[in-house]
Amino acid sequence: MFKEKIKALLKSIGEKREAINAQVTEALKSADAGDLDKAKEIKGKIDAAKTDLAALEGELKDYQEIDGLEELQDEEGEDRGLGNKKHRKILDDDTGADDFEHFIRTKGAEKRDLTTINTSVVVPVDVVNQVMELKQTEVDLSQLVTVQPVGAGSGKFPIAKRTSAILATKEELEEIAKVDDPMFTDVEYKVETRIGQIVLSNELIEDSAIDIKGYVKKQMNRMIVNTNNANIIAKLSKFKKIAGSSTDDIKAVFNIELDPALTKVVLTNQDAFNWLDTQKDSNGKYLLQPDLTASSGKSLFGSPVEVVSNALLKSGGTQAAPKYPIIVGDLKEGVALFLRSEITAEWEKFDRYSQGLSVGVRNDYQQIDEDAVRYIEIAPSTVA
């Protein structure tokens, strides 16, 4: 009689613990994504579930004592502890990870319950087990060009041209004159598949204190951005090149080379931005102005300035005589990204006890209007 009741309680306790483990994982993912409000909400549910679990365990203990049992495992013979100890430490209010974060915020003025050695802090295990990401540029150049979904692997896409035609005067009852200026230009595209895979052992996935697969997927998404950026820069580098030595040469491109109707953007690398950021007008005021619409926070001659890394957009010349790349123009009118599809997949590799992850794109990159963009190479007389 008592054994049946004990088995039923063990089953309920096991289910409750599994539910708590799932909530712990969900809370950690929310915290990792920066959604602390959701993580706290889930933690409240976990605390309530722990209270229910304690009641079930108390009832189990009473029945075990009555039945003379000191220890009884569940039907599967598993000791279902309350999840990963590291998970519990992260979510508890008085965790080592919480104290470590507070130590950093207070610059060591308040140590709480942390162990310290020679005024330095012993890093809690939970902090060590978090993935440290290397920061890199997050500029996605596909947001600056024309992205056109296509339904075939190759073809011609009509692009509306900026017409210079005017309407002719017509006499009464005379035939309407034809407009000879072409309205469209056909841009040919041919989609290519760009794809890669990463294999993770199940041991690594299971034994990690953090969501390894989640981090890998995030990095693979970055690969798509990197792929787009590299190919878009390659197309932008094929536009007409103009040599210059000062900001006056850049202004001449704005005023003469580019149609005033274009929505212009200035795209530079770190070297060029550093040089631009030091340029002043005749009154000693810096030429770059604040601009909240640009990722750099600056604008030049009223156009937002976007900055990518030197590794992506390389400077020319030598260290003593550099040539800084400054791309100016309407990038949406200049380059098109023809997108056929994006590919993501997961699969089990049973023979190797591992999991495969892949990500890829099927697309093409083409120049649209050769007069929409100019590639300026600045060889300054004085290097910033």
Side-chain angles (χ1 to χ4, degrees):
M1 174 180 175
F2 290 118
K3 287 185 178 180
E4 293 301 322
K5 182 64 176 177
I6 289 172
K7 288 181 179 180
L9 283 169
L10 281 170
K11 182 179 179 181
S12 298
I13 290 172
E15 292 173 349
K16 180 67 70 174
R17 288 172 175 168
E18 288 179 354
I20 291 174
N21 286 338
Q23 288 176 317
V24 168
T25 300
E26 184 181 358
L28 287 172
K29 288 181 179 179
S30 298
D32 180 57
D35 193 347
L36 298 181
D37 290 336
K38 184 176 180 181
K40 290 178 181 178
E41 178 184 347
I42 298 172
K43 184 180 181 301
K45 295 178 181 179
I46 293 172
D47 292 339
K50 286 181 180 180
T51 301
D52 295 340
L53 178 63
L56 289 172
E57 291 176 333
E59 187 176 356
L60 173 65
K61 184 177 180 182
D62 292 339
Y63 275 99
Q64 286 177 329
E65 289 177 352
I66 294 173
D67 199 44
L69 297 175
E70 294 180 356
E71 181 179 2
L72 185 64
Q73 293 179 323
D74 65 14
E75 291 179 325
E76 296 179 355
E78 295 178 352
D79 181 12
R80 296 177 182 248
L82 183 57
N84 189 308
K85 291 181 179 179
K86 296 183 179 68
H87 288 183
R88 297 201 304 273
K89 287 181 67 181
I90 290 175
L91 288 174
D92 288 342
D93 290 335
D94 56 348
T95 61
D98 183 62
D99 289 333
F100 182 70
E101 182 179 357
H102 191 80
F103 178 86
I104 295 174
R105 292 181 181 279
T106 60
K107 296 182 172 60
E110 186 178 338
K111 300 181 179 64
R112 293 191 182 181
D113 297 329
L114 286 171
T115 302
T116 56
I117 299 176
N118 297 331
T119 71
S120 62
V121 64
V122 178
V123 181
V125 174
D126 299 295
V127 176
V128 175
N129 282 335
Q130 295 176 16
V131 171
M132 186 180 74
E133 297 182 75
L134 296 176
K135 297 299 181 183
Q136 64 186 73
T137 177
E138 294 293 339
V139 175
D140 183 357
L141 296 183
S142 68
Q143 303 297 315
L144 302 178
V145 302
T146 296
V147 178
Q148 179 60 55
V150 293
S154 62
K156 294 182 179 180
F157 198 88
I159 302 292
K161 294 187 65 177
R162 285 177 289 109
T163 182
S164 58
I166 61 174
L167 298 176
T169 302
K170 186 188 92 64
E171 297 296 332
E172 185 177 358
L173 298 180
E174 289 294 323
E175 184 178 352
I176 298 174
K178 292 182 180 179
V179 177
D180 294 327
D181 200 35
M183 297 290 102
F184 299 91
T185 180
D186 287 333
V187 177
E188 293 189 18
Y189 68 88
K190 184 177 180 181
V191 167
E192 294 181 313
T193 301
R194 311 166 206 275
I195 195 167
Q197 69 163 313
I198 293 178
V199 177
L200 301 173
S201 71
N202 281 334
E203 290 90 346
L204 174 62
I205 295 172
E206 293 173 2
D207 295 342
S208 297
I210 48 86
D211 181 11
I212 286 292
K213 284 178 65 175
Y215 276 101
V216 170
K217 289 178 182 178
K218 184 177 179 181
Q219 293 298 326
M220 295 181 85
N221 286 333
R222 281 181 174 172
M223 293 179 196
I224 293 179
V225 175
N226 293 343
T227 301
N228 285 336
N229 287 354
N231 283 278
I232 290 170
I233 287 294
K235 289 300 176 182
L236 291 173
S237 299
K238 295 182 181 299
F239 281 88
K240 178 181 176 181
K241 288 186 169 58
I242 296 177
S245 60
S246 68
T247 54
D248 286 343
D249 297 314
I250 301 174
K251 181 170 282 192
V253 172
F254 269 82
N255 296 341
I256 301 171
E257 288 284 331
L258 298 172
D259 193 306
L262 293 173
T263 303
K264 303 177 189 67
V265 173
V266 179
L267 179 63
T268 72
N269 68 358
Q270 295 163 273
D271 289 335
F273 180 77
N274 182 59
W275 176 77
L276 281 173
D277 206 25
T278 63
Q279 302 306 298
K280 300 177 182 179
D281 61 18
S282 58
N283 296 321
K285 294 183 179 180
Y286 288 106
L287 290 178
L288 291 187
Q289 297 297 310
D291 188 338
L292 297 179
T293 66
S295 62
S296 68
K298 299 292 181 67
S299 66
L300 177 66
F301 307 139
S303 297
V305 177
E306 303 291 338
V307 183
V308 297
S309 69
N310 289 338
L312 178 61
L313 180 57
K314 295 179 172 57
S315 299
T318 64
Q319 186 173 359
K323 293 182 178 180
Y324 298 142
I326 300 176
I327 299 171
V328 178
D330 192 328
L331 305 193
K332 287 188 179 295
E333 298 253 348
V335 174
L337 190 167
F338 294 99
L339 179 62
R340 181 71 179 90
S341 62
E342 292 188 355
I343 310 159
T344 58
E346 294 184 40
W347 65 94
E348 291 281 345
K349 289 180 173 285
F350 297 103
D351 58 334
R352 298 184 181 179
Y353 194 59
S354 60
Q355 298 182 35
L357 305 173
S358 69
V359 65
V361 289
R362 298 191 64 220
N363 61 14
D364 190 23
Y365 310 85
Q366 292 295 337
Q367 187 183 88
I368 304 176
D369 183 356
E370 63 181 13
D371 293 324
V373 177
R374 290 292 180 262
Y375 189 106
I376 309 171
E377 287 185 320
I378 294 291
S381 54
T382 57
V383 179

